[in-house]
Amino acid sequence: MDNLIPVSYKLLKGMNESLILNVIRERGPISRSDIAKLTNLTPPTVTNITNRLLESELIFEYMMGESSGGRPPVLLKINPEAFNIIVVHISSNKINAYLTDVEINVKDKLSEGIPVSGDRDWVIDRAKEFISKLMDKSDREIEGIGVIVHGPAKSREGISLFAPNLGWRNVPIKSIIEEKYDIPVFVENDVRAMALGEYWYGSGKDVNNMVFLKVGYGLGSAIVLDGSLYRGINDSAGEVGHTTIDISGPRCSCGNYGCFEALASEHALTQRFIKAIKEGQYSHLADEARNIDEIAPSDIYTAAREGDGLALSIMDQEARYLGIGIANIFNIFNPELVVIGGGITEARDLIEEKMIETVEERSLESCYGSGNIVFSKLGDEATLKGAANMVLKEVI
């Protein structure tokens, strides 16, 4: 494949070519007969199109499959060297930029922390600098750029609506970057990108309907229905973190009281722990910490495993609040799967049993009986994979 002919996929004609190429990319190695079954196209149509894709070197014949009685099928796979893409992940405190091939193998990475003084222009300029450097290093054509942002975003318009830690609102990232590079740019929220990564490459790859719940400093979610993100009429679907769990609960960052996020996020459980110490409850962490206000979630998890009474009590509350919120998710969406990601996965052993027990108590049997709850194993890798898959689907 070192002598790849630079034939652009843009020369492909019609939806069937795009459909087949995406099936090969996502399901390969795969036989022509299986492609026909998945796409509902006739075998002659599949053969004609795959022959053209082979000639363009966008796919290649990977290996012989197992025979089911006749001639063994030839399995097709997408050519990872067909083109490259770039993914830029702008989190609350760091910029990561990746150069990947079509199989989402990372070929290069650039990373830098965002200083406290980093404003909108600094972040955008550094993102452009990273893109330019990766384009210079790329040995293939760059066909698309994905930008993942922290906080709500209008994906269709490519606008970052609000990034509180960066202090910006309504930043038209898509138009800014497309104007400079004249390459298609696709913008997505980090939680949705992570959900897509879980759906295509992680725990959700064998289901049609899934809700992803990221529990970290905040609490975000994304909904996948029949294989597609459900966005809502204003691209705002999935804000389960701001559904009410306890109307007498603590004030949330949104201004309401008792939101799921205000009770079940890692920030919430840490604040609950610190408040209890200041009110006189004992934990050995109070003796060990130089500054009580700097106690981190991981400190509480460790203390709980060591048998610290206050830490165990706080984790028990966390499990119950998560269980209540997840029960609401099952009662509303009736998904096949709820995937939990984010920092809380570190505490799985401390919360899973009580959380599931609470879900069983508070959800309807018809809504949860056939469902399942799992913890993410991909972690942050899901964000890159989801973002890259989004770009690849769009450009193909």
Side-chain angles (χ1 to χ4, degrees), residues 108-216:
D108 210 328
K109 177 185 176 181
L110 299 172
S111 182
E112 184 172 350
I114 298 174
V116 176
S117 59
D119 58 12
R120 162 188 157 160
D121 291 338
W122 186 95
V123 173
I124 295 296
D125 288 345
R126 189 50 50 95
K128 288 179 181 178
E129 181 182 326
F130 282 1
I131 291 169
S132 296
K133 287 182 177 179
L134 293 177
M135 290 179 72
D136 290 341
K137 292 181 178 183
S138 178
D139 57 349
R140 306 292 174 193
E141 184 179 0
I142 301 295
E143 295 289 3
I145 299 171
V147 181
I148 304 307
V149 295
H150 174 68
K154 282 197 171 183
S155 300
R156 298 182 186 93
E157 296 86 351
I159 299 172
S160 174
L161 294 175
F162 179 46
N165 288 23
L166 301 177
W168 69 21
R169 290 180 181 270
N170 301 316
V171 179
I173 293 176
K174 177 180 173 70
S175 61
I176 291 172
I177 297 179
E178 283 186 345
E179 182 178 356
K180 179 173 177 62
Y181 297 104
D182 196 27
I183 295 173
V185 175
F186 308 94
V187 178
E188 188 55 273
N189 158 267
D190 55 354
V191 177
R192 287 178 174 173
M194 202 171 189
L196 288 172
E198 285 291 342
Y199 181 76
W200 287 108
Y201 303 100
S203 303
K205 63 184 179 181
D206 295 321
V207 303
N208 290 320
N209 303 293
M210 178 191 91
V211 175
F212 177 75
L213 191 67
K214 183 180 180 182
V215 184

Side-chain angles (χ1 to χ4, degrees), residues 25-84:
R25 181 179 66 82
E26 293 170 352
R27 305 295 184 96
I30 186 172
S31 68
R32 290 173 175 83
S33 61
D34 284 340
I35 293 172
K37 292 174 185 176
L38 286 170
T39 61
N40 291 321
L41 297 173
T42 65
T45 298
V46 171
T47 297
N48 289 336
I49 292 174
T50 54
N51 285 343
R52 291 201 293 273
L53 295 175
L54 285 165
E55 290 172 4
S56 300
E57 297 195 33
L58 287 169
I59 64 172
F60 66 100
E61 294 182 337
Y62 178 64
M63 62 182 291
M64 302 298 292
E66 293 185 7
S67 171
S68 58
R71 180 184 300 174
V74 176
L75 302 184
L76 303 174
K77 193 174 180 181
I78 197 159
N79 183 356
E81 299 178 359
F83 57 85
N84 292 334

